[in-house]
Amino acid sequence: MSRSGPVKGLLVAVVASVAAVAGAQFHQHRHQRLPIVAGPAVARVASLSEYGEGLARTMADTKVFFLQGAEPGGSALIMAGTHANEIDALLSALIFVENAVVEKGTLIVIPQLNHSASVYTRPGDGCPLFYGIETPWGTKVFRFGDRGASPLDQWPDPDVYVHYPDAQLLSFLDARNTNRSWPGRPDGLLTERVTAAVMRLLAEERVDIALDLHGAETMFPVTNCIVAPERSMRIATMASMTVTAMEGFENHVEPSPKGFRGLSHREIGDHSDTAPFLLEAPFPFLDQPTGPKTRDLLMTGRDPFLLSLAGQQKLFVPYDESGWPIEKRVGQHCSVALEIINQFSRKRADRAIRISEVPRYADLVRNGVGFYFHDPSKADPARVHLD
Amino acid sequence: MPLVMIVYYVICLFIAGMLVWNFAREKDDRQMMLLYLVVLVPLVLRLLRIN
């Protein structure tokens, strides 16, 4: 054996141990599935690949829940997980899936639209791989995902992302962002195949309104709001005014810019008969000037640096020592989504959608988010779906 | 898997092979030995499709 042999052996052992520990954690994150208990209204659970063959047997394939009413009516789609690190969207969508009773019409929910992003991490940002929501029956564990699809599923990134079909030049990062890939194409990038499949779902299921749930930085002006194009503006305005007046939280409407392509609130409206809405709730975890990206920050939204910035009027939302807890953020999403569906149903009685048993803002602030999740170990196994 | 992705995996494998080769040839400099191994980690995780 050479003189350096023992040193090399030791170094290989140390580095291999570190790689094995990290690799095991990454592997668990990529392959752990989220149990979703289908609520009383769930009549069918499909895969998105049924609307886009190019997604079959890929990590981008995801579950689609159809909540059917007893009476025929209109159809609404709720999408979450467009950005898998904006967790309030997923939690809100699951509250609909596990609790909603649909009396009229159809509600379709896609909890993890960019499924590939939900099995990826935020390298270098020190973000947690998992987070837990306390429930009456224990802690429900969720994967913490990323903004874009995993490079294991779509790689390499181009130098410049050329949007289809408008040929607008966008950041290379946005090639893996499903909120820059609308309306998509069936044979395009993986993210384009996801949005193309949803466009086909919108047409085949005659979806009247589509709600895309997000979270936004408190230092970003497009937060605490509904982003709506021209055709959705009236309903968005009525919904925003109603929740602001009746439920005690601030909300406003932002017009969808015509010149910024690839976003759901722009392209769905331009390429289908569906009226799109993008909902933003304040999500302090995304802000850059915060302390460590801990699970506590994820849940409470409390951060001393943001508090200091709030004192200097640098934030676009009210912010105090209580932060922006998850109950408020999810509550806002649930209330705004319900109110948009309500306002649409008032405007289009022939296509009305009536939903009950979904908590609103005050219910979530009072009871917490976990109160509305059901124990998969006690549920009928046929009603538990792994996503 | 698209062709370009396969090409990138081949490049990845080539670089990983070069690092292993250089690690094997290094006789004295322990810092360089460690450096080769640390740089190798993300390439191995990618080749094994872990991250």
Side-chain angles (χ1 to χ4, degrees):
Chain A
M1 183 184 273
S2 72
R3 195 162 46 85
S4 61
V7 175
K8 280 184 173 173
L10 181 66
L11 288 176
V12 168
V14 170
V15 173
S17 302
V18 171
V21 170
Q25 290 180 353
F26 291 142
H27 187 272
Q28 184 195 5
H29 182 265
R30 185 164 167 83
H31 295 280
Q32 182 163 312
R33 293 292 169 258
L34 174 66
I36 302 173
V37 180
V42 175
R44 182 164 81 93
V45 181
S47 294
L48 190 57
S49 57
E50 292 174 31
Y51 299 88
E53 292 77 13
L55 297 175
R57 295 174 301 283
T58 72
M59 276 296 207
D61 201 2
T62 191
K63 293 275 190 284
V64 184
F65 294 81
F66 289 81
L67 286 68
Q68 198 68 49
E71 275 183 74
S75 184
L77 169 68
I78 294 179
M79 296 177 282
T82 293
H83 297 145
N85 55 337
E86 295 163 11
I87 64 170
D88 311 328
L90 168 64
L91 300 173
S92 308
L94 291 192
I95 285 176
F96 275 84
V97 170
E98 298 203 0
N99 298 277
V101 171
V102 181
E103 289 146 14
K104 185 178 170 67
T106 305
L107 177 66
I108 305 168
V109 185
I110 306 177
Q112 303 194 93
L113 180 78
N114 191 347
H115 187 270
S116 170
S118 79
V119 294
Y120 186 48
T121 61
R122 289 191 70 85
D125 280 8
C127 292
L129 290 172
F130 299 96
Y131 62 95
I133 298 290
E134 297 306 322
T135 74
W137 43 267
T139 304
K140 187 173 174 74
V141 177
F142 296 80
R143 300 185 302 270
F144 183 75
D146 193 13
R147 183 177 171 85
S150 168
L152 286 179
D153 305 315
Q154 182 180 310
W155 192 58
D157 295 331
D159 290 338
V160 175
Y161 168 47
V162 183
H163 173 258
Y164 174 85
D166 292 286
Q168 188 172 60
L169 303 183
L170 298 169
S171 162
F172 74 97
L173 283 171
D174 285 328
R176 288 187 278 120
N177 179 353
T178 41
N179 204 27
R180 297 294 182 278
S181 66
W182 296 93
R185 49 186 158 177
D187 56 351
L189 298 169
L190 197 61
T191 44
E192 290 176 322
R193 281 181 263 157
V194 169
T195 47
V198 179
M199 291 300 291
R200 191 172 144 194
L201 179 148
L202 296 175
E204 288 187 9
E205 305 297 336
R206 294 187 59 213
V207 174
D208 298 290
I209 53 173
L211 284 65
D212 187 11
L213 275 49
H214 287 254
E217 297 90 336
T218 58
M219 296 184 75
F220 184 51
V222 186
T223 189
N224 239 358
C225 65
I226 307 168
V227 187
E230 306 73 23
R231 81 160 63 160
S232 311
M233 190 55 80
R234 184 183 163 86
I235 292 170
T237 305
M238 290 302 297
S240 180
M241 287 169 61
T242 305
V243 296
T244 303
M246 306 296 290
E247 305 204 36
F249 61 84
E250 197 273 326
N251 188 274
H252 67 280
V253 177
E254 291 277 346
S256 167
K258 283 183 181 166
F260 191 6
R261 308 310 305 191
L263 294 106
S264 61
H265 53 74
R266 171 48 48 197
E267 305 293 352
I268 289 176
D270 287 0
H271 293 272
S272 76
D273 296 329
T274 305
F277 303 83
L278 187 145
L279 279 55
E280 294 279 16
F283 188 35
F285 191 90
L286 289 185
D287 281 292
Q288 288 302 319
T290 68
K293 302 291 187 190
T294 61
R295 289 184 181 87
D296 183 59
L297 177 60
L298 200 56
M299 293 297 122
T300 65
R302 265 200 306 264
D303 182 80
F305 299 100
L306 290 182
L307 188 61
S308 167
L309 289 165
Q312 299 168 49
Q313 311 292 316
K314 302 287 188 195
L315 307 187
F316 288 90
V317 295
Y319 193 92
D320 59 24
E321 289 80 1
S322 63
W324 208 282
I326 194 153
E327 297 80 19
K328 287 172 73 173
R329 285 143 37 196
V330 173
Q332 288 189 202
H333 270 329
C334 289
S335 276
V336 175
L338 286 169
E339 198 52 46
I340 288 172
I341 293 170
N342 184 38
Q343 292 296 335
F344 166 78
S345 301
R346 289 176 65 171
K347 188 169 176 239
R348 288 285 309 274
D350 58 318
R351 299 283 298 166
I353 304 146
R354 271 206 312 273
I355 298 170
S356 61
E357 304 304 319
V358 174
R360 297 189 80 111
Y361 178 77
D363 304 314
L364 278 149
V365 170
R366 185 172 55 248
N367 299 323
V369 175
F371 182 80
Y372 297 97
F373 292 141
H374 300 281
D375 186 353
S377 69
K378 299 234 167 59
D380 175 358
R383 305 288 291 171
V384 179
H385 300 272
L386 299 176
D387 195 10
Chain B
M1 190 181 285
L3 180 65
V4 67
M5 200 145 163
I6 295 168
V7 171
Y8 265 64
Y9 274 95
V10 171
I11 294 170
C12 201
L13 184 65
F14 174 76
I15 295 169
M18 287 294 102
L19 286 165
V20 171
W21 173 250
N22 279 289
F23 173 77
R25 284 183 3 141
E26 182 60 57
K27 301 295 179 203
D28 302 312
D29 192 335
R30 291 176 185 179
Q31 276 198 13
M32 287 305 289
M33 289 177 200
L34 182 61
L35 191 60
Y36 290 135
L37 292 175
V38 169
V39 173
L40 190 60
V41 170
L43 298 171
V44 170
L45 291 178
R46 177 56 58 91
L47 286 168
L48 296 175
R49 293 188 56 76
I50 290 172
N51 196 29

